[in-house]
Amino acid sequence: MTELLLALWPLFALIVGGYVLSRRGFPNEAFWPGAERLNYFILFPALLFNSLATAPLDNPQLPRMALAVLLGLGIAWLALLVMRRLRGWPAARFGAFSQGILRFNTYLGLAAVGSLFGQPGLTLAALMLALMVPAVNVLSVWSLTAERGVSARSLLLPIIRNPLILACLAGALVNLSGLGLPGGSGRLLSLLAAASLPLGLLCVGAALKPEQLGGEIPALAWNSLLRLLLMPLLALAVAYGLQLPTMESTVLVLFFALPTAPTAYVLTRQLGGDANLMAGIITLQHLLAAASLVAMLFLLEHLL
């Protein structure tokens, strides 16, 4: 338990630090959107590219890992469709609820995996992201536009333009080509990658909106419960059924236990979803995740 706390508390300290700095107006209001764009389009793609360009793609566990990711997301998505039919949610609310359950805070996930498993864990997580990011993006767009109909172009365009997906593809291609990272390019990417996770966690804190917690408490509570407790238990069952090794199982469960992505708020607002509900879900999940992640990892430590 002590090791888990030592691994996780600095990550949440950065999130709290970002929130405090943002509310104090430091350095200024324009800094945080610019910092988030810098991280999203340059620093974080550099981390993913660097991890995949040097990853051991011959890992025999990768096919089962990919199957576990797709099974977990598929089961959750089918359950959401059933709930929508039973509750009659409009797309604006269904989109917010879906993202609250399916999406994940990539910065926090990679930072936690890096703290627990180092570079081997980061490599494995980057390979998972190559599958999870496009799948979750498609489902998120579809859920927010279900009532209006959705074209293949509107589903695929966000994926084609997504810098994280492009970085994963480019890193894998470089890896398969055998070119490597010559001439100090690996060192350059390592420097960019080192700045990504701390800045990303600060930006997560800056984006939290506690003022949105006073609204739909029951909806926020059940959505957070499903995301932070039921989703990781689902991932654990899938990992057990596929007999994944310990590190692969832990990384899978960890990503299914993460709070939802702060960028879900931007997508929800752009596509006409319930942005206030989405902001409340994001904030509550991050507040609860400090305890739920430790509890889930403690459980894994005794089960795996």
Side-chain angles (χ1 to χ4, degrees):
M1 176 64 83
T2 302
E3 291 180 2
L4 293 177
L5 292 174
L6 289 175
L8 292 180
W9 82 259
L11 312 183
F12 285 95
L14 284 170
I15 293 175
V16 172
Y19 174 78
V20 172
L21 290 174
S22 174
R23 293 305 178 270
R24 295 282 181 97
F26 182 85
N28 55 57
E29 188 176 344
F31 170 81
W32 296 104
E36 188 171 350
R37 285 178 59 82
L38 172 67
N39 207 17
Y40 185 71
F41 285 99
I42 296 179
L43 302 181
F44 199 47
L47 185 152
L48 295 176
F49 179 90
N50 191 44
S51 295
L52 287 178
T54 57
L57 297 182
D58 57 349
N59 186 337
Q61 302 301 330
L62 290 183
R64 281 193 294 169
M65 192 75 175
L67 178 59
V69 168
L70 295 177
L71 272 176
L73 290 178
I75 293 170
W77 177 245
L78 289 175
L80 280 166
L81 292 177
V82 171
M83 290 174 67
R84 183 191 179 214
R85 180 173 289 275
L86 292 175
R87 302 298 296 272
W89 292 324
R93 290 178 68 79
F94 178 57
F97 289 144
S98 297
Q99 290 186 92
I101 290 173
L102 296 177
R103 296 191 72 170
F104 50 91
N105 188 325
T106 313
Y107 300 133
L108 181 57
L110 285 181
V113 168
S115 297
L116 293 170
F117 297 112
Q119 188 57 47
L122 284 176
T123 298
L124 184 62
L127 290 167
M128 278 182 54
L129 292 180
L131 275 178
M132 294 181 75
V133 170
V136 168
N137 271 271
V138 167
L139 295 177
S140 298
V141 172
W142 190 92
S143 66
L144 286 164
T145 57
E147 291 173 350
R148 290 172 278 169
V150 60
S151 65
R153 182 177 182 274
S154 62
L155 281 176
L156 295 177
L157 200 58
I159 294 176
I160 296 171
R161 292 179 173 176
N162 189 304
L164 309 186
I165 298 171
L166 293 176
C168 288
L169 290 175
L173 289 174
V174 167
N175 189 314
L176 293 172
S177 71
L179 294 175
L181 299 173
S185 56
R187 175 61 177 158
L188 171 62
L189 290 169
S190 296
L191 291 171
L192 292 171
S196 173
L197 295 178
L199 182 61
L201 293 174
L202 287 170
C203 289
V204 167
L208 297 182
K209 302 177 185 299
E211 63 274 11
Q212 299 295 342
L213 292 177
E216 305 180 63
I217 296 298
L220 300 181
W222 72 254
N223 191 269
S224 298
L225 181 68
L226 291 180
R227 174 63 212 179
L228 301 177
L229 295 180
L230 193 59
M231 284 294 283
L233 291 177
L234 169 63
L236 181 59
V238 170
Y240 181 79
L242 294 176
Q243 297 183 329
L244 291 177
T246 299
M247 184 173 74
E248 283 78 0
S249 297
T250 303
V251 172
L252 178 72
V253 173
L254 175 61
F255 267 84
F256 274 69
L258 294 170
T260 190
T263 51
Y265 175 79
V266 178
L267 182 66
T268 303
R269 190 174 56 187
Q270 288 176 343
L271 296 182
D274 192 333
N276 289 336
L277 175 62
M278 191 74 252
I281 289 172
I282 292 167
T283 302
L284 182 59
Q285 287 192 13
H286 279 81
L287 291 176
L288 296 176
S292 66
L293 274 178
V294 172
M296 193 56 58
L297 290 173
F298 181 73
L299 176 65
L300 287 175
E301 190 177 42
H302 288 78
L303 290 179
L304 298 177

